[in-house]
Amino acid sequence: MSELILLVVYCAVLGSGVGFLAGLLGIGGGLVIVPILSGILLHLAILPPEQVVIVAIATSLASILFTSTSSAIAHHKNGNVPWDLAPWIMTGVALGALISGFMAALLPEQVVRIIFAVSVVLIAIKMFLSSKNNDPTERTLPNKGVLTTLTTITGGLSAMIGIGGGALLVPLLTFFSLDMKKAIGCASACGIVIALFGSIGYISSGSTYFSLQDGFAGFVYLPALLGIVCTSWFTAPLGAKATNHLPVPTIKKIFAGLLVVMAANMMLS
């Protein structure tokens, strides 16, 4: 029992930081949750090592459902969610996340780690370079069908590596010259959809591996979920508020630095 209490406390501390970053960057928090929660689960020996990453990813997605909701509400109040685009983007990420969640149990753990690390390092490089470009090339958003296709891929990869989608959606949308703060707001709203449909897949595919009486809903570990959400819900609006006060190049550099640190941690842990 003492280990369970310790787990919840660790996750509550994690959630407080994750919530702020989710609001600030629109990332949902999975980039932080997955490697750190993996470390917590390993440290407390709650699961066999080969099951840790998939449980961390599934629990991350479930927590993002709450964190992104809190963040999206705050961004909506600040006028940072482009609702003319959001439905098309949400359709794509929902489809991709649902497919990815059902495929989760089929992927070797090391493959998931490699996909996670390579994806976020490439994104970080692009984001850092764009933060130094004061006169970026103007690109028009593609038509709604192409945008939905692109975001289906984004949603699938996001769910696969347990993130809310902002780490992939924000660079995609800013590539097409959408304002950085509106891209973050849109990513926060889409994080809800990715988390919902991804969680459905992870809960369904994990039901044969874990039981509710052991604290699991499929691959989602409920005590860890409780710890993260009890603080992240309240700190996400603080991060969303900070977005309106920081210059865009600074936000991009924070974004890029966070991605590199998390990718390195995932590969070395």
Side-chain angles (χ1 to χ4, degrees):
M1 182 62 69
S2 60
E3 285 190 351
L4 189 59
I5 294 173
L6 191 59
L7 170 81
V8 173
V9 170
Y10 283 159
C11 289
V13 173
L14 171 60
S16 64
V18 162
F20 183 82
L21 289 171
L24 177 67
L25 302 175
I27 60 173
L31 285 168
V32 180
I33 296 172
V34 174
I36 294 179
L37 181 56
S38 295
I40 292 171
L41 295 173
L42 283 171
H43 175 68
L44 297 177
I46 291 173
L47 292 165
E50 64 273 12
Q51 295 177 328
V52 162
V53 171
I54 193 168
V55 168
I57 288 173
T59 305
S60 169
L61 276 175
S63 72
I64 289 167
L65 180 60
F66 298 90
T67 305
S68 286
T69 298
S70 178
S71 176
I73 290 171
H75 279 292
H76 171 69
K77 290 178 179 178
N78 292 328
N80 286 338
V81 181
W83 289 112
D84 56 325
L85 294 175
W88 298 92
I89 297 172
M90 287 179 174
T91 299
V93 298
L95 180 59
L98 187 61
I99 294 171
S100 180
F102 280 109
M103 292 176 58
L106 305 177
L107 293 174
E109 184 260 359
Q110 189 60 29
V111 171
V112 175
R113 284 178 181 267
I114 292 170
I115 291 172
F116 183 102
V118 172
S119 299
V120 297
V121 167
L122 292 175
I123 294 164
I125 293 170
K126 175 65 175 67
M127 186 64 69
F128 182 76
L129 292 176
S130 67
S131 73
K132 304 176 73 173
N133 187 356
N134 296 320
D135 186 25
T137 302
E138 289 292 327
R139 300 182 183 88
T140 304
L141 279 165
N143 64 57
K144 301 299 192 303
V146 173
L147 187 60
T148 300
T149 300
L150 290 173
T151 54
T152 298
I153 298 170
T154 299
L157 185 55
S158 297
M160 184 183 297
I161 60 181
I163 64 178
L168 303 178
L169 271 177
V170 172
L172 174 66
L173 295 176
T174 55
F175 176 80
F176 290 113
S177 303
L178 186 67
D179 176 75
M180 179 75 175
K181 293 174 183 178
K182 291 190 179 298
I184 289 173
C186 187
S188 294
C190 290
I192 302 170
V193 179
I194 292 176
L196 175 61
F197 284 88
S199 294
I200 290 171
Y202 278 106
I203 290 170
S204 299
S205 62
S207 60
T208 58
Y209 294 84
F210 299 101
S211 65
L212 188 60
Q213 65 186 22
D214 294 323
F216 289 88
F219 285 119
V220 177
Y221 191 41
L222 298 177
L225 175 63
L226 173 64
I228 294 168
V229 171
C230 73
T231 53
S232 65
W233 178 269
F234 300 101
T235 56
L238 300 178
K241 186 175 181 179
T243 300
N244 287 330
H245 299 286
L246 287 175
V248 169
T250 300
I251 296 174
K252 287 186 175 183
K253 288 174 183 175
I254 294 172
F255 204 125
L258 178 66
L259 294 179
V260 171
V261 171
M262 290 301 103
N265 187 62
M266 175 59 76
M267 289 305 296
L268 296 174
S269 62

